[in-house]
Amino acid sequence: MKSLKARIEECMRRHPHLSQADIARATGVTTPSVSGWLNGETKSLKPEPARKGAILFGCDQNWLSTG
């Protein structure tokens, strides 16, 4: 199972035009929260950011949330 960091990095590779600030706005979190996802500090997503992130990235919410 991939870590949250690896899943977010994979999504960002598929959507290179999105910045951390874009992701934060789209998911309803702060830019430092997105940074925490990417540096491995945060290990899981809350349901609402996961739902919004899945819409943004065009992926499965469960995969994004839990791998």
Side-chain angles (χ1 to χ4, degrees), residues 11-48:
C11 289
M12 290 184 76
R13 278 192 299 278
R14 293 181 191 168
H15 302 277
H17 61 284
L18 292 174
S19 68
Q20 288 186 31
D22 295 332
I23 296 166
R25 277 190 296 278
T27 58
V29 300
T30 64
T31 302
S33 292
V34 175
S35 180
W37 302 346
L38 289 166
N39 69 23
E41 182 179 307
T42 304
K43 304 296 182 201
S44 63
L45 293 176
K46 292 183 180 176
E48 192 61 12

Side-chain angles (χ1 to χ4, degrees), residues 1-4 7-8 11 14 27 37 43-67:
M1 177 165 66
K2 291 183 180 182
S3 67
L4 175 61
R7 293 188 307 272
I8 297 294
C11 289
R14 293 181 191 168
T27 58
W37 302 346
K43 304 296 182 201
S44 63
L45 293 176
K46 292 183 180 176
E48 192 61 12
R51 183 186 70 77
K52 291 177 177 179
I55 292 168
L56 175 67
F57 293 125
C59 67
D60 181 74
Q61 179 179 342
N62 289 329
W63 175 81
L64 188 59
S65 295
T66 63

